[in-house]
Amino acid sequence: MATQSQAVGITKYQLFCVLAASVGSVNWGWTFGATNIPGDVISKCAAGPSHLIGFLPSCIPASENVWGLVVGCFALGCLIGALTSTYFANRYGRKTVLVYSNIPAIIAAIMYGLSVNMAMFIIARLLSGIALGSSLGTFTMYVVEITTPKARNSLGGMAQMAIIFGIMLSQTASLGLSKPPFWRLLFAISGILSVLNMALLCFCVESPKWLAMNGKLADARDSLQRLRRGTDYTDEFVQLTSSVMINSTSELAMGETNNGTKTSSVIDVLLGRTPDNLRHQLVVTIVVMASQQTSGISGVSFYSSTLFNSISKSGPSDVFTIPTLAHILSSVLAIAGTLVMPVCMVLAMYFGRRPLMIWSHGVMAVCCVLISVGSIVGLNALSITMVFVYYAAFFIGAGPIPWICPNEMTPTYAVAAVGAIGGSVNYVIIFVIGLVFSPLLDALGGYTFLLFGVANLLSALFCFFYLPETKDCQVADVARLHSVGVHS
């Protein structure tokens, strides 16, 4: 007798589809981190005076504020991508969005390589943000919808795993590709990742949930059969179609068909025009997404070289020796994060989402205080060590869990909209931090991380009182329990 599909863990084809789709998130991490190490080479001509290499300038001088805009506008593009992807993912399918979002990323990669002024570079950064923000938001939906509850415990964090892997690759490659003209190649590699992503996705199935939502039950069954090969998926298919029918009936009763597709828009969710009361899910999603960035992680990712220079009190002349010690430490930090992430994915199999989030923010709060103390009193070893511990603690919970929260506690008809709202909040804060972190570090010095320490403490308290536990739970059960407004 075959095993029930919902009782199994990771199947080979499930894993292939998740890994293939995750290349887009690797690309997100690559692009996100690519500005860190070569930033001074590009904007301050740290490798030498500006000169032409062929018809392209060796660097593109810019003020600190303009470079902050370059760093942050990637997140602004991600915001646009996250909001627009909701409509396309609901109308055309998760896989379709994952495939075609690579096209603007390829165009952006070409623009990176050919940029002759900062305006062109900013447009490329914005365009790649739109493409990769759309891909990342859709990827988290896709993973939750194709995996079993057991597989989701480990694969649910794949988005964050792929992002940190991409950051690690770009930071490591930056050590050899930061000098002119190779920094152009560093950014253009994003296009190669996009082509690879499109090729691999050709062998993946569409989300069976999306197919069922759109009345394509035969295709949904075929998709589920491939994802659950060797198991008895009959009960899961019946449950899937039943939940879709319930959602459809509820929405038809409200007169909302959304052009034949039974989904709620961002406006519907914000105004409460949904069959269920989703206020609790919406508030939790917004806060945990905001908390991920107010933890200070984007500042560390964007400006780790600047941060390590600040901690070690390195002088401005140090940037002319590339790579510097700060550059090497930034790469080691990214490598450490990549090594820690698989351990954190294993922890997610044994511990609930809620305790991991509480511990993650709690440990980061302590680390932020110690980073500040070490920097203020001149204990560089303490500060640098705490940066590494802080980075590892982030991936225990605050890194991966916010991205899977809306997918594990929101009904299918609203998951894309709730995820888009949460992702938008996340990207807005990334944009702001990209603009202000470096000036903030200059103004406050060692006291900067005290602000993030307070933010992490408040985040831990919020998770303790309001975050639902969703590990090993069916989405319908979680949604039913928490569809009663905001509550503790």
Side-chain angles (χ1 to χ4, degrees):
M1 183 177 179
T3 306
Q4 287 294 319
S5 61
Q6 291 176 306
V8 301
I10 302 172
T11 64
K12 291 181 180 179
Y13 190 64
Q14 263 186 93
L15 181 61
F16 171 79
C17 289
V18 171
L19 290 176
S22 72
V23 175
S25 298
V26 172
N27 200 355
W28 195 101
W30 179 281
T31 307
F32 180 84
T35 55
N36 184 13
I37 292 178
D40 289 330
V41 174
I42 299 170
S43 64
K44 298 179 182 178
C45 298
S50 179
H51 59 280
L52 290 178
I53 302 175
F55 64 93
L56 299 172
S58 61
C59 58
I60 308 175
S63 67
E64 190 169 284
N65 289 335
V66 172
W67 184 250
L69 178 62
V70 171
V71 172
C73 72
F74 174 71
L76 193 60
C78 288
L79 167 64
I80 299 170
L83 289 174
T84 56
S85 68
T86 303
Y87 170 79
F88 292 109
N90 284 334
R91 187 170 183 84
Y92 300 108
R94 319 312 194 203
K95 176 185 170 181
T96 302
V97 172
L98 289 171
V99 171
Y100 286 100
S101 62
N102 285 292
I103 294 176
I106 294 171
I107 296 172
I110 296 171
M111 290 183 68
Y112 279 133
L114 299 177
S115 291
V116 295
N117 53 50
M118 199 53 73
M120 192 172 178
F121 200 87
I122 289 174
I123 293 171
R125 189 106 172 126
L126 187 66
L127 188 59
S128 63
I130 293 172
L132 298 174
S134 174
S135 175
L136 180 60
T138 306
F139 173 65
T140 55
M141 281 190 286
Y142 183 71
V143 172
V144 170
E145 292 179 1
I146 69 170
T147 54
T148 62
K150 283 188 175 181
R152 199 177 305 139
N153 288 331
S154 52
L155 295 180
M158 186 57 74
Q160 194 63 50
M161 176 66 189
I163 288 172
I164 185 56
F165 184 66
I167 292 174
M168 183 272 291
L169 290 178
S170 69
Q171 300 291 287
T172 304
S174 293
L175 295 178
L177 295 177
S178 287
K179 294 183 179 181
F182 301 111
W183 60 262
R184 296 179 180 276
L185 176 61
L186 179 70
F187 286 92
I189 287 174
S190 170
I192 298 174
L193 292 173
S194 293
V195 172
L196 175 63
N197 192 207
M198 293 181 75
L200 291 175
L201 283 168
C202 292
F203 301 98
C204 298
V205 294
E206 179 57 86
S207 159
K209 273 194 177 182
W210 181 84
L211 291 169
M213 283 171 58
N214 287 269
K216 301 178 180 180
L217 297 184
D219 291 336
R221 179 184 285 275
D222 291 341
S223 177
L224 196 63
Q225 182 181 30
R226 293 186 67 184
L227 290 165
R228 308 290 189 263
R229 185 166 295 161
T231 67
D232 182 358
Y233 61 91
T234 305
D235 289 348
E236 183 179 1
F237 182 72
V238 170
Q239 187 178 44
L240 172 64
T241 53
S242 298
S243 65
V244 169
M245 289 177 64
I246 291 172
N247 288 338
S248 300
T249 302
S250 299
E251 290 185 8
L252 286 170
M254 294 179 67
E256 297 188 21
T257 61
N258 196 22
N259 296 323
T261 302
K262 310 304 184 294
T263 56
S264 296
S265 68
V266 168
I267 300 300
D268 292 333
V269 172
L270 289 174
L271 296 181
R273 299 193 308 230
T274 54
D276 303 293
N277 186 338
L278 301 180
R279 288 298 178 197
H280 189 80
Q281 288 90 328
L282 180 61
V283 169
V284 168
T285 297
I286 289 173
V287 174
V288 296
M289 280 292 202
S291 297
Q292 185 188 70
Q293 297 308 322
T294 57
S295 69
I297 192 64
S298 287
V300 174
S301 297
F302 280 141
Y303 296 107
S304 60
S305 294
T306 304
L307 175 62
F308 284 129
N309 270 329
S310 174
I311 290 173
S312 61
K313 307 295 189 297
S314 297
S317 60
D318 290 340
V319 298
F320 288 93
T321 306
I322 301 171
T324 65
L325 175 61
H327 294 158
I328 295 171
L329 285 173
S330 295
S331 297
V332 173
L333 181 66
I335 293 171
T338 305
L339 295 176
V340 166
M341 192 61 198
V343 177
C344 298
M345 293 175 70
V346 173
L347 288 176
M349 298 172 64
Y350 297 99
F351 298 95
R353 315 292 191 233
R354 185 169 166 272
L356 289 176
M357 283 288 286
I358 294 170
W359 276 102
S360 180
H361 280 295
V363 172
M364 283 195 292
V366 174
C367 289
C368 285
V369 172
L370 292 176
I371 290 170
S372 290
V373 169
S375 182
I376 293 167
V377 303
L379 295 174
N380 296 342
L382 174 64
S383 293
I384 292 173
T385 301
M386 286 302 103
V387 169
F388 278 83
V389 176
Y390 162 93
Y391 205 63
F394 174 78
F395 294 110
I396 293 175
I401 292 176
W403 288 105
I404 63 176
C405 271
N407 301 283
E408 290 191 336
M409 62 184 181
T410 309
T412 305
Y413 64 83
V415 68
V418 173
I421 294 168
S424 299
V425 171
N426 189 282
Y427 293 134
V428 167
I429 299 176
I430 292 176
F431 175 70
V432 172
I433 290 178
L435 285 176
V436 306
F437 186 84
S438 185
L440 195 65
L441 198 61
D442 289 338
L444 299 180
Y447 294 94
T448 303
F449 271 82
L450 291 178
L451 299 177
F452 296 124
V454 173
N456 277 300
L457 178 60
L458 293 175
S459 299
L461 290 173
F462 177 87
C463 293
F464 180 82
F465 287 108
Y466 293 104
L467 181 65
E469 182 52 71
T470 58
K471 180 178 180 292
D472 293 333
C473 297
Q474 294 294 328
V475 175
D477 295 334
V478 178
R480 183 172 59 253
L481 180 63
H482 294 284
S483 295
V484 291
V486 181
H487 61 99
S488 58

